[in-house]
Amino acid sequence: MSWFGSFLKSSIGQKIIMSLTGLFLIQFLAVHLIGNLQLLANDGGQQFNLYAKFMTTNPVIKTVSYLLYASILLHAVQGLWLWSRNKAAKGGKYAVMAKESSTYASRNMGWLGIIILVFIILHLWQFWFQMKMGWLEMKTYDGVEVKNLYAPVAYAFKQWWYVLIYVLAMGVIGLHLHHGFQSAFQTLGLNHKKYTPLIKFLGTAYAILVPLGFALIPIIFFLFR
Amino acid sequence: MKLNSNIPEGPLADKWTNYRGKMNLVAPNNKRRIDIIVVGTGLAGASAAATLAELGYNVSAFTFHDSPRRAHSIAAQGGINAAKNYQNDGDSVYRLFYDTIKGGDYRSREANVHRLAEASRSIIDQCVAQGVPFAREYGGLLANRSFGGVQVSRTFYARGQTGQQLLLGAYQALSRQIATGNVKMYNRHEMLDLVMVDGKARGIIARNLLTGKLERHAAHCVVLATGGYGNVFYLSTNAMGSNVTAGWRAVKRGALMANPCYTQIHPTCIPVSGEYQSKLTLMSESLRNDGRVWVPKNMDDVMAIREGRKTGNDIPEEDRDYYLERRYPAFGNLVPRDVASRAAKTACDEGRGVNQTGLAVFLDFAAAIERYGKAEAHTQGLHNPDKGTITRLGEEVVKAKYGNLFQMYEKITGENPYKLPMKIYPAVHYTMGGLWVDYNLETNVPGLFCLGEANFSDHGANRLGASALMQGLADGYFVIPYTIGQFLSKEIRTPKISSDLPEFEAAENATKERVEKLINIKGNQSVESFHRRLGKIMWEYCGMSRNAEGLKKGRQMIRELRAEFWRDVFVPGTADEFNPELEKACRVADFLELGEVMMVDALDRNESCGGHFREEYRSEEGEAARNDADYTYVAAWEWNDEQPILHKEELVFENVELKTRSYK
Amino acid sequence: MKLNLKVWRQRSNNDKGAFATYQVEANEHMSFLEMLDVLNEQLIAKKETPVAFEHDCREGICGACSMVINGRPHGPQQGTTTCQLHMRAFEDGDTIFIEPFRARAFPVVKDLVVDRSGFDRIIQSGGFVSVNTGQAQDGNAIPIEKDLAGEAFDAATCIGCGACVAACPNGAAMLFTSAKVTHLGLLPQGKVEHSKRVLSMVKAMDEEGFGMCSNVGACSVECPKEISLENIARMNRDYIGASLASDKTV
C-alpha cells in the first residue's frame, strides 16, 4: 500500500477524515444559519428567496456545495463504519454504566449522528429536494424570477409537530457539536495548555448558540407569524 | 566442598579492569550458536537478557508475570546510587565501596563491592541513554539526593518511582531484543526445576501457567535473576508473587544458599491493621529526614490512645519519649535501618506501641510543619503570623516534599497524616542472603549463574538505601555479559543441548509428580493459611531479634508445619489449567524448606551483625555485637533434609579495617 | 460490613461467563483485594474454585490488577489502583459488581484475569531507544530542561495496567501508546528515532485490534496515574507529521 493509503487507513488517519469533514460541516452550519436568519426579515420571504437563488446558482458556491454533500456523506458513512468497528473492538458492555468518567455526548456520538442523519434526510426531502426538482412556485422581485422556497418553510414552521422535531434535532446537533468541536482539534493534535481551554469554551459556545439560533426561527414563526 | 570465590589477583582498584582485559571471549560466530536461559525479568534479569542478546547470544527469558514489566523491581521508590561525584562533595568509587562495606557490617566481599561501585557510574550513563527521565536541576543536569548511612549526595532518582523508571528502561531494552528475535520471551512461565546434565546446569522445567503444561527448555547455561525471598515472612513489602522457588529448586539440585538469615527489616512501613492483611506498604526512608519518632512515656497515655480516648496530639511534649533522639543523639532519627527497626521493636516490647495491636510507633511531622511554616512565613514577609497560618504554610511545604507518600498513607489508613502523627512499624523488606556465587556470579553448580537480589554477593549483612537497584543493574548490564564468557568460552564445541535427554525427562517427571502430589492431598486447609502460619513463626523466632532457644523452637515448628502442609493442604482445581492456587502451593512448599535453613543459619551465627540480631550477643549498651574473630565468613548451606550442611567461605579484608558501627 | 458481590465468573475465553453472587463480611480497613482474599478463603473452605484475579505488588505500581468495579476500572477513587482502594470507599450493605477489563484486544483468561500481551507487542514495535549496553556517553553530556524531564516523567509513569482500554467505549489503546511515544519523544535521546517510532507503534496498536479514539476522555479520568489526554493529541500531531512530512514509512 502506498504511504498515503496506509496513513488514511490507520486509526489516526481515519479519525482525521472525521475531524476534517466535521470541521467543514461545523463552519457550514454557521453559513446556513446566516441564511436562515433572513427568514426573520418580515418581507414575505423576498430576501430569503433571493439568497436561496444566489446560493444555488453562484458557481463558486455550487462547487463548495458539492464538497459539502461529499463531506456529509463521508462523515456519515465513515462515522457509522468507525462506530461499528469500535463497538466490535470493545467486545462487551459492563453491567454497571459509569457515567462519571465521560460526557453523555462523547459516549453517544454514533447515536446522535444517526439521529442527525435522519433529520438531514428529512430536511433535504422537505426543502432542498423541492428546490432542486423545481416543484416550487416562482416569484418575481424587481424583474428577477426566483423559486419561492419561503412558502414551504413558512408552512412547515406552522406545524407544531414539525417545530418540535426541528427543535429536538437542534438539541441533538448541539450535543454532537459540543463533543465534536473540541474533539476535531484534539484529533488534529491541536491540544495545548494555553489554547485548549479557549477551544473548549468556543466549542461550548458554538454548540449552544448555533443550534439555538436555528431553533429560534421555527419557534418565532410558530408563535408570532 | 571447597568454595572458590575466584577473586582475581592484584590491587583492589585494578582487579576488575585487569580481569576483564584477560577474560576468555566467545567469538561472534560462536555466540550465535549458544543458548542462554534467563529466569526472571526484573532489573537484573531484563538487563542481562537484553545485553546478552545484544552481544549475539540466543536468549530465552522467563517470567511468571503476564509481562516482564511487572517484576517487583518496579516498586523501588527512593533511588539508585552512583559514584559520579556530580555534586563535587568528595564522592568517589572508593567511598561508595567503603560505605557499602561498612553499611553491610563487614560481611561482604571486598572485590565484588568494589566492582559494583565501579559499574555504578556506567549504569547512570546507560539509563540516561535509554531515556530514563531522572530528576534534573534547572540547568538541565542530573539531580541528586542523599540517603541514610552516607555523607555525600549520590542518589539519582525519578520522583518516588525510580525503580519503575529503571525497570521500564530495562524492559524496553529487552523488548527491542524480543522484536529482533534474539530473545524468545516466555511470559506466564514459572521455573519449577533445574536440569543438570553431566554436572552442569543445562536447562529448566517450566510450567506454562496458562495451560499448566510442563515444558522442557534446554540451553548451554542458566541465569537466575529471580529476586528475594522476603515473602517467607508472609507479611513483607515484597509483591504477593515474589518467591524463592527458582532459587530453591537450584538448591535442591546442589546449589548453595548463602547467608539466608540476613534479612533487612525496614523501619518505616504502615503497621499491620488486622488478621486479613496481605502485605505491608513501605513509606520511603526519606520521611525520617523530617519526621520525629516517638512513643508515650506513660502507660496511661498508651492505653488511652489504643482505646481511642486520646490521639497523639493530646500527649504533651514532656510525656513523649523521642527514643531515637534520646538513645542516638549523633544520628537521631536518621540512624540506619537495622538500628531504627530494633529500637521500634524495643519500644513496643515495653508495651508502649500506639495502635490496637500494640505494634506501632509515631512518626510525627508536627515539628517539621511548624518549622517550615515559620520559615515560609518569614520568606513571604509575614511578621507575627498566627498559628493557623504557620500550619497552613508548613503543610504546603511538607506536601511539596512528601505529598505522594502522605496521600498513599491516607489511602491505606484513612487517617490524615498532616493532622495526626503517622503510625509506623518495621517490616521485612529485602533479603541480603541468596544463592552463593563466585566473582563471576556463577554458583557452585557449573553453568548456573545468579544475579541481583537472588544472589548473596554485595550487601553483606545489611543493605544501604538505593543500592538494590544499583546491584541489579550492575549485575545485568555490566558484569554477567563479561563473566559468562568464562564459562561459555569452554562450551563453544558443545552442540545444541537436546531437551530429549533422559535428564530432562527425569526432571519433568519429578516435577509432575510433585505438582500432582500437591493437588491430590485434598486436605482441609488453604495454602494461604499455611503461608500465614509460616510467616508468623518466621517473624516471631527469626525476625528482628533472634535467640538460640527461639530459633531451635522455630525450626521445630516449621518442620511440623511442613509435615502438616504435605498432609492437609487443599489445592483446588487441576494441574492442567490456569490455577493460581497451585502456583502458590508450589511456592509455599519451597518457603517451608527455606524457612528452616534460615533458622539454622541464624542459629549458627553466634553474633549480631547488620540485619541479624542475636539477643545473646550485644554490647553493654544493648547494641549489636559482631564477632569478627569467629564469624567473618559467608555461610553457604547445602540442602539436607535432616541437617543442612555448612560450607564456609572466609572473608578476607585487605583494604578496610573492621570497626564497630556507632551512631551514638 | 456486609457486602453483596456480583463477580464475573468465566472458566476460559471460550466459556460464556456470567455473574455469580457472593456475600462477604469485610471491614473498612481492608483493601479491595484483601476483601477478595476473604471471599476466596470462603470459597476454598467450601472446596469451590476461588475467583481468579491478577495482582502482585499491592502498592499501586506493578499494574497487574485488572478489574472493573461498578463499571469503573480500578473502582470509584480517582488516581487509585484496585489494590490501593480500601473498603471504606463502600458502605455496609452495598452491592458491588466486579468484572474483568473488557476489550476485544484483552481476551479473558479466567474470571477477572485478562491477556494484556498486546501492550508488550506495542512496546516491542518501537517503544525503546535503540542503544546497546556500553555505548552510552556521560549521563550529563546532554542537558535536559527540568520541566521537560518532568513532562516526560509524567508520561513515563504509566503502569501498563490497561485501565485506559477498559474505560474506553471503543477499546482504544491510544492513551497507553501515546504515553510511551511522548515519554521517549520529548527526550533528546528518544528524538533520534521518533518518526519511525510513532509510525511503528500506531501500526502495531492497530494490528492488535484496539479500537479508535473518539476523544471520550474516560481513559484519562480512569487512569490510576492520571496520564493526560495531551499525550494523545501529541501522538496524533506527531503521527501526521511523520506520515506526511518525514521520509519514513513502515
Side-chain angles (χ1 to χ4, degrees), chain B residues 43 80 121-134 165-166 169-170 473 477-478, chain C residues 131 136 189:
Chain B
L43 280 183
I80 176 165
R121 298 177 301 182
S122 309
I123 295 172
I124 300 303
D125 301 340
Q126 180 63 27
C127 292
V128 168
Q130 286 171 344
V132 170
F134 282 119
Q165 294 309 318
L166 296 177
L473 289 182
Y477 283 135
F478 296 109
Chain C
V131 52
Q189 291 82 2

Side-chain angles (χ1 to χ4, degrees), chain B residues 35 46 100 210 227 230 249 255 286 343 347 351 355 406 418 436 450 475 526 529 557 565 580 586 617 649:
Chain B
D35 301 317
T100 307
L210 286 176
R249 293 290 105 204
S286 58
N355 67 355
F406 275 50
Y418 293 101
W436 182 89
C450 188
D475 287 0
S526 70
S529 67
M557 287 172 80
F565 175 86
C586 292
Y617 306 101
E649 180 204 333

Side-chain angles (χ1 to χ4, degrees), chain B residues 30 75 109 113 153 190 283 289 303 322 336 548 563 574 601 634:
Chain B
N30 285 328
R109 254 190 225 141
V113 176
S153 267
E190 182 155 21
M283 294 271 101
N289 279 304
M303 296 321 288
Y322 295 94
T574 63
D601 184 40
V634 175

Side-chain angles (χ1 to χ4, degrees), chain B residues 51-271:
Chain B
T51 306
L52 292 168
E54 285 162 10
L55 290 173
Y57 294 108
N58 291 317
V59 179
S60 297
F62 294 80
T63 172
F64 67 81
H65 286 108
D66 69 322
S67 160
R69 67 180 295 150
R70 311 233 189 268
H72 198 53
S73 308
I74 206 152
Q77 298 172 352
I80 176 165
N81 289 330
K84 279 288 201 184
N85 194 28
Y86 282 160
Q87 305 306 323
N88 198 30
D89 56 1
D91 199 9
S92 66
V93 167
Y94 183 83
R95 203 177 284 276
L96 174 53
F97 154 78
Y98 181 79
D99 287 344
T100 307
I101 289 276
K102 179 188 170 199
D105 223 355
Y106 307 96
R107 289 293 176 266
S108 42
R109 254 190 225 141
E110 279 188 342
N112 283 53
V113 176
H114 199 275
R115 177 177 64 189
L116 173 67
E118 289 173 59
S120 71
R121 298 177 301 182
S122 309
I123 295 172
I124 300 303
D125 301 340
Q126 180 63 27
C127 292
V128 168
Q130 286 171 344
V132 170
F134 282 119
R136 301 258 165 185
E137 308 283 4
Y138 280 105
L141 301 181
L142 291 158
N144 288 120
R145 59 184 171 203
S146 59
F147 245 70
V150 297
Q151 291 158 311
V152 292
S153 267
R154 64 160 76 100
T155 305
F156 295 78
Y157 61 100
R159 293 205 198 139
Q161 289 160 240
T162 318
Q164 180 199 26
Q165 294 309 318
L166 296 177
L167 180 64
L168 291 180
Y171 159 74
Q172 287 163 201
L174 175 64
S175 294
R176 178 169 155 247
Q177 294 306 315
I178 295 170
T180 64
N182 293 339
V183 173
K184 176 95 181 75
M185 186 67 225
Y186 293 89
N187 292 337
R188 295 193 197 270
H189 276 67
E190 182 155 21
M191 169 180 161
L192 290 184
D193 207 351
L194 178 73
V195 183
M196 313 261 297
V197 180
D198 299 333
K200 291 176 184 168
R202 294 296 198 191
I204 62 170
I205 302 297
R207 181 166 178 268
N208 179 333
L209 301 182
L210 286 176
T211 61
K213 193 177 171 309
L214 294 180
E215 299 173 2
R216 304 175 191 179
H217 295 273
H220 290 83
C221 68
V222 175
V223 178
L224 300 184
T226 48
Y229 49 83
N231 267 349
V232 67
F233 289 88
Y234 186 74
L235 286 180
S236 78
T237 65
N238 285 11
M240 302 301 285
S242 301
N243 67 81
V244 75
T245 288
W248 196 252
R249 293 290 105 204
V251 169
K252 298 296 277 279
R253 294 281 175 189
L256 304 181
M257 190 74 188
N259 297 337
C261 79
Y262 291 157
T263 311
Q264 180 161 82
I265 317 270
H266 199 292
T268 49
C269 298
I270 299 177

Side-chain angles (χ1 to χ4, degrees), chain A residues 2-10 13-14 16, chain C residues 239-240 243-244:
Chain A
S2 79
W3 61 269
F4 194 69
S6 46
F7 168 64
L8 286 183
K9 276 202 76 177
S10 72
Q14 302 256 295
I16 286 167
Chain C
Y239 185 78
I240 296 169
S243 295
L244 305 183

